[in-house]
Amino acid sequence: MEKFQRYYLSFLLLIVYTNTIAQVNCNAVEGEDCKKACELYNWASDRQGSRESQEAFDKAIGLCSDFSSSYMEKAVPYFKNGDFITWKILIDKAVAADHKMHLGYRGWYKFQFLRDYKGAIRDLEELKKYYPDDLGRSLNRDYHLEVVKAMSYSALGQKEKAVGIIENLLASKGYFKGMYDHYQLGVTYFELSRCDKALENFEKQSKENNFAENIYFKSKVSKIRNKDYLDLKKLALMTYDEGKTMKDVYTHHFNKIYRKQIEEL
């Protein structure tokens, strides 16, 4: 029941976050021009991607260049269309206008979509100056941004550092676990040839949120130890075919595994 409540809460948070991220309380904005810019922003955000929307963001920026959200929302359609150069120009302006609000967003995008791991680490380290106790969560709510930083270090080959970051986070008081924390930690331990710690985390992941990728790595540990791994391999394939895998609406997860890899085990 506790596990259900945790992930149900995560789902609700995602819905609330998705539905409210674009809207701003314009009464809290100082200056008449900036209030008008805010109102234009709210209007345009509901029409994101249209020509009218982009023109409204331009007007908002013209009225109040410090209103950072206009740059951010204007950038989104360019990213979706694969124009990462224009996206970066605009999101950099958003960050310049408000570091605290947009550094986490930019860092997450650099990690998840652009695979710019060094850039992600820089942004998240900079964000820590503003939020030393809690960086917040990724846009899709699956990860704490400290875990995102750890995965970035892992991707760059600094796996011991990645392990240290996640272990410290899991041990911290009041930490709310992400969907795949133990899995990502387990994979990193596996890549360090520390199979005992890897299996320990895969088992913990199984109890909280099991999926094909996690079972696949459990079978790999069994194979390395010269134990019977075929039953786990079959279970991983069956679980994969049932659709119980790591999912993301827009891209694939870090350390994502596909059916072909399971078949070849």
Side-chain angles (χ1 to χ4, degrees):
M1 184 66 179
E2 183 182 348
K3 180 177 73 174
F4 172 78
Q5 289 174 336
R6 181 192 306 168
Y7 291 113
Y8 182 66
L9 177 59
S10 294
F11 180 67
L12 287 178
L13 285 170
L14 176 59
I15 292 173
V16 171
Y17 185 78
T18 303
N19 288 338
T20 61
I21 185 171
Q23 295 297 307
V24 174
N25 177 12
C26 297
N27 292 326
V29 177
E30 296 182 0
E32 285 305 311
D33 284 346
C34 288
K35 282 185 188 295
K36 291 177 183 176
C38 177
E39 291 166 0
L40 278 169
Y41 164 83
N42 282 340
W43 180 89
S45 296
D46 290 334
R47 297 160 178 80
Q48 189 191 80
S50 68
R51 186 180 70 182
E52 294 81 0
S53 172
Q54 296 298 88
E55 289 174 350
F57 287 134
D58 285 337
K59 290 178 183 177
I61 291 166
L63 283 167
C64 184
S65 60
D66 292 334
F67 191 70
S68 62
S69 294
S70 294
Y71 294 111
M72 191 195 77
E73 284 297 315
K74 184 182 177 184
V76 173
Y78 290 105
F79 193 94
K80 289 180 177 179
N81 289 324
D83 185 352
F84 303 130
I85 294 174
T86 304
W87 172 82
K88 188 177 185 306
I89 291 170
L90 290 167
I91 200 63
D92 286 351
K93 288 181 178 180
V95 171
D98 193 333
H99 282 61
K100 292 174 68 175
M101 181 178 289
H102 303 297
L103 270 170
Y105 168 89
R106 188 176 70 179
W108 165 247
Y109 266 55
K110 285 179 178 180
F111 167 82
Q112 182 72 340
F113 296 101
L114 303 180
R115 303 309 189 212
D116 175 11
Y117 301 117
K118 290 181 180 179
I121 291 168
R122 282 195 299 270
D123 279 353
L124 298 179
E125 288 290 357
E126 183 69 18
L127 184 65
K128 202 170 183 68
K129 295 176 183 178
Y130 301 99
Y131 300 105
D133 298 323
D134 188 354
L135 292 181
R137 304 193 80 84
S138 61
L139 199 64
N140 66 1
R141 313 300 294 175
D142 285 345
Y143 298 106
H144 192 281
L145 288 176
E146 285 284 359
V147 177
V148 174
K149 186 168 67 175
M151 291 187 290
S152 297
Y153 278 118
S154 179
L156 293 171
Q158 299 184 52
K159 299 190 183 297
E160 290 286 0
K161 188 162 189 173
V163 161
I165 292 171
I166 302 177
E167 287 283 19
N168 288 338
L169 191 63
L170 289 171
S172 61
K173 186 178 179 180
Y175 173 61
F176 186 84
K177 288 183 188 177
M179 289 282 285
Y180 307 109
D181 286 5
H182 283 294
Y183 171 75
Q184 297 293 357
L185 181 57
V187 172
T188 311
Y189 273 126
F190 181 84
E191 291 169 336
L192 289 167
S193 299
R194 297 171 66 181
C195 289
D196 287 346
K197 293 295 291 183
L199 185 59
E200 176 187 322
N201 279 281
F202 295 142
E203 292 291 359
K204 287 179 180 178
Q205 184 69 61
S206 294
K207 293 175 183 177
E208 296 179 1
N209 172 34
N210 207 12
F211 45 90
E213 291 88 346
N214 193 61
I215 302 168
Y216 164 79
F217 272 101
K218 287 171 68 176
S219 66
K220 290 195 76 169
V221 172
S222 292
K223 187 175 183 180
I224 287 171
R225 291 175 165 180
N226 294 316
K227 294 184 178 181
D228 184 13
Y229 68 93
L230 292 177
D231 285 345
L232 282 169
K233 176 181 175 179
K234 289 177 183 177
L235 179 60
L237 286 168
M238 183 178 71
T239 306
Y240 191 97
D241 292 341
E242 289 173 351
K244 297 175 183 177
T245 61
M246 301 175 79
K247 292 183 175 69
D248 187 276
V249 175
Y250 297 109
T251 184
H252 61 82
H253 276 273
F254 186 68
N255 287 324
K256 167 75 177 167
I257 298 298
Y258 295 93
R259 197 180 200 283
K260 183 176 176 62
Q261 293 167 273
I262 304 173
E263 290 173 343
E264 293 174 347
L265 181 63

